[in-house]
Amino acid sequence: MSEQPEPDEAASEESERDIYMRFMKCHKCYDIIPTSSKLVVFDTTLQVKKAFFALVANGVRAAPLWESKKQSFVGMLTITDFINILTRYYKSPMVQIYELEEHKIETWRELYLQETFKPLVHISPDASIFEAVYSLIKNKIHRLPVIDPVSGNALYILTHKRILKFLQLFVCEMPMPAFMKQTLEELCVGTYANIAYIHPDTPLITALSVFTHRRVSALPVVDHNGRVVDIYSKFDVINLAAEKTYNNLDVTVTQALRHRSQYFEGVMKCNKLETLETIVDRIVKAEVHRLVVVDEESRIVGIVSLSDILQALVLTPAGLGRKESLPSQPTALEPDAAETSQQGEAERQTEVETEGETERQGDSESSRAPQKKKERGGVRSADGRLACGWPDSLQGSDWTAALEVGGAGG
């Protein structure tokens, strides 16, 4: 006969279960904004081509869009827009993509969005980080602009990666919930059904079409034995703009990935029997946006993204679940099924965060130590101590010096 836990022990376990949620609720978005970071803003009258070149030149992955007529931010320009333009208008290496060369951002938005304009999803700096996590996952977006409600200024762009890194700084100082010792399989964390993937010889234009049709942001590259040999992410696509090679999309994915061979450290993998604690530690240290779940022979099984992890750490303990996927075999998308769709917004605010964006590129800038104390709310109370009654070892520590600046996305 198994022993039943004592009432006090059960209460303690329940309290520990939602400790990350409570941590997020008592810290504001302002707390996570770095002392110094880069934020690029585009006016909607700027040419699309110049905007993408500016993303590359500034080392950022997304930019808020400002419409002068409305005197407000109306959307986001991301790498997804670049992909959508390429898949929509590419014909052959012999035909120049006029729309990329000549269109302004506002023209692209009008053509692409047509009557489906939606308000920009954003958040106030005084909102809790828990609200930011909820908004990112509920709206299925990668980036959440922090906009000051008084001045209307964009202050920062929050990402899953930035939030998880912030949490990781304090994890060792908090009681560890029991679920952190459970495996991915036990917790059903990750996506294991209908995983989109490509092969080394897949034409690049087909891979881009899979991005738009399946609304994912990374595609494992699988050999014909089913083993994961590489990964092609949306961030890799920006290299086409950097090298101005977007007029030939008939090359294979392997050829397109040659540019990154110097710094690419290989696909970050895991298996379903590893604990959530191990997975969180690996994904934060590797600074990637997803891990590919494989079996003992390195065959693809699923994907675990930053979104999946934040869901498990913060929202699920709060009783805010999302539909779980049932394990099944991954499927490759046939080229003829990968038609460009009209859904979504130009800033791709509704893009599914199945896999984040792989980007080993370092963050734009780094916080400098020692840090000056921020003037407005959340980080410290009047006596300089962190609020919400966290352990003394956290009080008065300049944690921002340890947290890399994510720039406009990271």
Side-chain angles (χ1 to χ4, degrees), residues 154-375:
L155 306 178
Y156 190 63
I157 300 177
L158 276 181
T159 63
H160 302 83
K161 181 179 176 183
R162 177 78 179 181
I163 293 171
L164 187 60
K165 191 178 291 187
F166 176 76
L167 176 63
Q168 183 74 351
L169 288 176
F170 299 100
V171 161
C172 62
E173 305 291 346
M174 291 183 269
M176 181 177 290
F179 66 75
M180 291 294 284
K181 295 295 185 181
Q182 292 181 272
T183 66
L184 294 180
E185 188 170 50
E186 291 170 333
L187 295 170
C188 296
V189 173
T191 301
Y192 302 95
N194 199 25
I195 302 299
Y197 63 85
I198 53 179
H199 296 294
D201 56 357
T202 298
L204 185 56
I205 185 61
T206 301
L208 299 185
S209 296
V210 176
F211 281 137
T212 59
H213 182 80
R214 294 291 297 272
R215 300 176 70 201
V216 297
S217 48
L219 294 167
V221 181
V222 177
D223 67 19
H224 292 283
N225 293 317
R227 296 183 177 88
V228 178
V229 295
D230 210 328
I231 193 163
Y232 189 67
S233 76
K234 282 187 173 179
F235 185 70
D236 291 310
V237 179
I238 202 65
N239 182 70
L240 299 174
E243 298 185 353
K244 301 180 182 179
T245 55
Y246 49 80
N247 275 316
N248 183 9
L249 304 181
D250 293 344
V251 298
T252 67
V253 169
T254 299
Q255 291 173 309
L257 284 172
R258 284 175 181 165
H259 73 276
R260 69 159 192 214
S261 58
Q262 296 179 359
Y263 61 85
F264 184 60
E265 298 179 3
V267 184
M268 295 304 299
K269 305 172 186 175
C270 65
N271 66 69
K272 290 195 296 183
L273 299 181
E274 292 186 273
T275 65
L276 184 56
E277 178 189 15
T278 300
I279 298 302
V280 171
D281 186 63
R282 183 176 305 158
I283 204 167
V284 171
K285 286 182 178 177
E287 295 188 357
V288 294
H289 291 69
R290 100 262 323 127
L291 300 177
V292 180
V293 185
V294 297
D295 62 17
E296 59 277 2
E297 296 183 10
S298 202
R299 291 191 294 258
I300 185 170
V301 173
I303 297 284
V304 177
S305 70
L306 292 176
S307 176
D308 295 324
I309 291 173
L310 284 174
Q311 171 71 42
L313 297 181
V314 182
L315 298 189
T316 298
L320 300 170
R322 64 182 179 186
K323 188 175 180 180
E324 297 173 355
S325 61
L326 298 175
S328 69
Q329 293 299 315
T331 57
L333 190 67
E334 295 300 324
D336 58 357
E339 299 176 355
T340 303
S341 59
Q342 292 284 336
Q343 82 274 14
E345 301 178 31
E347 69 273 20
R348 301 315 297 149
Q349 280 278 330
T350 56
E351 180 183 354
V352 173
E353 216 290 327
T354 309
E355 296 140 296
E357 292 184 21
T358 37
E359 303 111 354
R360 286 290 305 168
Q361 172 182 336
D363 292 323
S364 310
E365 304 175 12
S366 297
S367 298
R368 303 291 188 259
Q371 299 289 343
K372 293 183 179 179
K373 185 167 66 177
K374 295 184 181 180
E375 295 179 358

Side-chain angles (χ1 to χ4, degrees), residues 140-158:
K140 298 178 180 177
I141 56 178
H142 293 158
R143 295 174 173 80
L144 184 62
V146 181
I147 298 180
D148 192 307
V150 178
S151 66
N153 292 333
L155 306 178
Y156 190 63
I157 300 177
L158 276 181

Side-chain angles (χ1 to χ4, degrees), residues 108-117 344-347:
W108 163 243
R109 282 171 54 81
E110 288 170 3
L111 288 173
Y112 186 66
L113 299 184
Q114 297 179 351
E115 302 300 321
T116 64
F117 282 93
E345 301 178 31
E347 69 273 20

